[in-house]
Amino acid sequence: MSARRILLRCLDYLRPYWGETLGAYLALLGINALALMIPQFIRWIVDRGIGGHDSGLVTWSVLGLLALALLKSGLSFCQGRWTETASQGVAYDLRNAIHRQLARLSFSYHDRSETGQLLTRAIQDVERIRFVTGRAFLRVADGVILLLGTAVMLTLMNPGIALLALSTMPVLAWRALALGRRLRPISLVIQKQLSLVTTRLEQNLRGARIVKAFAQEDAEVERFARENRRWFALSARAARLQSMNTPLIDLIANLGTVAIIGYGGLLVIRHAMTLGELVAFSTYLGQLIVPVRRLGTIIPALAQAVAAGERVFEILDVISEVRDSPGALPLPAVRGEIRFEQVSFAYVHGHRVLREVTFEASPGQIIAVLGTTGSGKSTIINL
């Protein structure tokens, strides 16, 4: 399944929470409208109030600026609350869906699967999907809207400086996408290795008495340490990629600010631009750097979510090997009589556990099933 299809399928789980999601994105539009308005207001304060030595205008303007900041904070609160409610709902539905699926699947699936892997997919992988359907996609939308709005405002103020300020954006986008392509396969391997670590721990805890009975504590400690070392090495590799990428994104983003201060300062000295316009340009770029810098964390999160979604949907898409035939009749009331008539069974094709077993258990009758290890006692009970 492609990354795009996986992400769209994850987003489909937001449908029951469309009200909260819509509210969060409307709040986002309001926040970005204020973010585009505030630098223009600051420009007006600098040019008219400070430049005109009008202390009264400065006082009222600062109060107005404070009111806008409070309004922006209120919208941010609503956005965060609604986003978190919707994304937690997605996690709730996914975990319930996984549990229902695991309850319906046949014994053969559980015989082939490791408990630790299923636990990791139901807990950690779902949590990665929750983050992406919530804050991650919202931050991507925030960055795109703010970038487009800022580009329009800067172009209206001064097209030349706008082009200079935004020239670093294509490089930033290229770096973010390149990191995502490299992190997705690593993230998938990391999550699989985490499943192995969880499985090893779960088996040791469940079989603690057996481990101690056979004095295998040191051997089990070494086995766990080996899996844990591999998980550490993979996580360190992913961390190195991100640690190299984040400072590089910051450097590229700050180059635009340096260019604005240098070239814009010369224009102010030559009276080709007002000081308020220069401050507004710097404010716009300062606002833009934050969502662009977030791309350094969001792109890896998207890559991890794609890998997590692939693992979660792998469970949800399994078709049980034991299911009703088309047109199957409902089971009537039963007496509790069990009869095996030449029953054969194999967990793996070609390796039979039971061969033509026949017996009958009447209601209330007690029957003992005896045999050596692997002879099929548990298989008979499971059947």
Side-chain angles (χ1 to χ4, degrees):
M1 191 183 298
S2 67
R4 183 163 102 29
R5 287 186 60 192
I6 291 173
L7 289 175
L8 288 175
R9 190 169 175 183
C10 291
L11 286 174
D12 194 50
Y13 279 85
L14 281 171
R15 285 190 181 186
Y17 310 97
W18 67 269
E20 291 88 348
T21 304
L22 179 61
Y25 280 89
L26 288 176
L28 173 66
L29 291 176
I31 291 168
N32 280 300
L34 291 172
L36 295 174
M37 184 190 307
I38 287 173
Q40 293 298 325
F41 194 32
I42 293 174
R43 181 184 74 164
W44 185 76
I45 294 172
V46 172
D47 287 343
R48 297 289 184 89
I50 298 174
H53 303 286
D54 189 340
S55 59
L57 181 60
V58 170
T59 301
W60 285 107
S61 299
V62 168
L63 291 175
L65 195 60
L66 178 60
L68 291 176
L70 289 173
L71 178 59
K72 187 178 177 183
S73 297
L75 289 174
S76 297
F77 168 77
C78 294
Q79 179 204 71
R81 181 176 179 180
W82 291 331
T83 301
E84 196 64 23
T85 300
S87 63
Q88 289 290 355
V90 169
Y92 172 81
D93 292 339
L94 271 175
R95 289 193 181 107
N96 281 339
I98 291 172
H99 189 268
R100 282 195 302 270
Q101 176 74 338
L102 292 175
R104 284 195 296 258
L105 290 173
S106 61
F107 283 114
S108 60
Y109 178 84
H110 292 283
D111 289 329
R112 294 192 303 267
S113 302
E114 295 179 336
T115 304
Q117 290 202 21
L118 298 179
L119 284 172
T120 303
R121 297 186 192 200
I123 303 300
Q124 185 164 14
D125 287 351
V126 168
E127 187 62 20
R128 294 185 187 279
I129 294 173
R130 182 200 66 78
F131 174 73
V132 166
T133 56
R135 296 187 182 277
F137 272 119
L138 197 77
R139 287 174 180 175
V140 170
D142 181 30
V144 171
I145 293 171
L146 193 59
L147 175 61
L148 294 176
T150 300
V152 171
M153 297 301 291
L154 293 179
T155 303
L156 291 175
M157 289 173 61
N158 191 311
I161 297 186
L163 184 62
L164 181 64
L166 298 173
S167 61
T168 58
M169 296 304 149
V171 183
L172 287 172
W174 168 75
R175 277 305 309 159
L177 293 174
L179 178 65
R181 282 195 298 269
R182 294 185 66 183
L183 272 179
R184 183 191 172 185
I186 296 176
S187 298
L188 185 59
V189 176
I190 288 174
Q191 285 158 255
K192 286 182 178 179
Q193 185 61 28
L194 177 59
S195 298
L196 293 177
V197 172
T198 308
T199 298
R200 179 64 64 185
L201 179 61
E202 182 264 339
Q203 289 175 344
N204 285 342
L205 292 174
R206 190 170 54 182
R209 292 179 181 273
I210 298 174
V211 171
K212 289 183 177 296
F214 288 90
Q216 291 298 301
E217 293 94 336
D218 292 341
E220 289 302 322
V221 166
E222 177 55 34
R223 287 192 188 98
F224 180 82
R226 185 166 56 247
E227 299 294 352
N228 201 22
R229 279 195 300 270
R230 176 164 168 75
W231 181 34
F232 174 81
L234 289 167
S235 299
R237 183 181 170 191
R240 278 196 299 271
L241 283 175
Q242 295 188 55
S243 63
M244 292 171 58
N245 187 73
T246 302
L248 184 58
I249 285 181
D250 286 345
L251 175 62
I252 296 171
N254 287 323
L255 287 177
T257 303
V258 172
I260 289 296
I261 296 298
Y263 182 60
L266 291 175
L267 292 181
V268 171
I269 293 172
R270 296 171 184 170
H271 302 289
M273 175 188 284
T274 66
L275 182 60
E277 288 176 329
L278 179 59
V279 172
F281 263 99
S282 300
T283 306
Y284 276 125
L285 276 186
Q287 291 183 157
L288 195 58
I289 286 175
V290 175
V292 168
R293 185 181 295 152
R294 283 177 183 163
L295 288 175
T297 57
I298 292 172
I299 295 299
L302 287 173
Q304 291 169 352
V306 169
E310 188 175 345
R311 286 158 50 81
V312 167
F313 297 138
E314 190 177 273
I315 294 176
L316 296 179
D317 293 340
V318 172
I319 298 175
S320 179
E321 296 176 12
V322 179
R323 56 188 182 276
D324 288 337
S325 300
L329 298 176
L331 183 69
V334 295
R335 293 179 55 243
E337 181 180 3
I338 299 171
R339 184 167 63 249
F340 274 44
E341 297 179 354
Q342 295 184 328
V343 174
S344 298
F345 183 81
Y347 288 103
V348 182
H349 182 69
H351 179 67
R352 286 191 181 185
V353 178
L354 301 178
R355 290 179 179 273
E356 299 182 354
V357 175
T358 299
F359 69 89
E360 185 174 348
S362 301
Q365 184 181 9
I366 297 175
I367 293 179
V369 182
L370 306 177
T372 59
T373 301
S375 61
K377 302 185 298 297
S378 298
T379 300
I380 288 176
I381 300 303
N382 290 338
L383 290 175

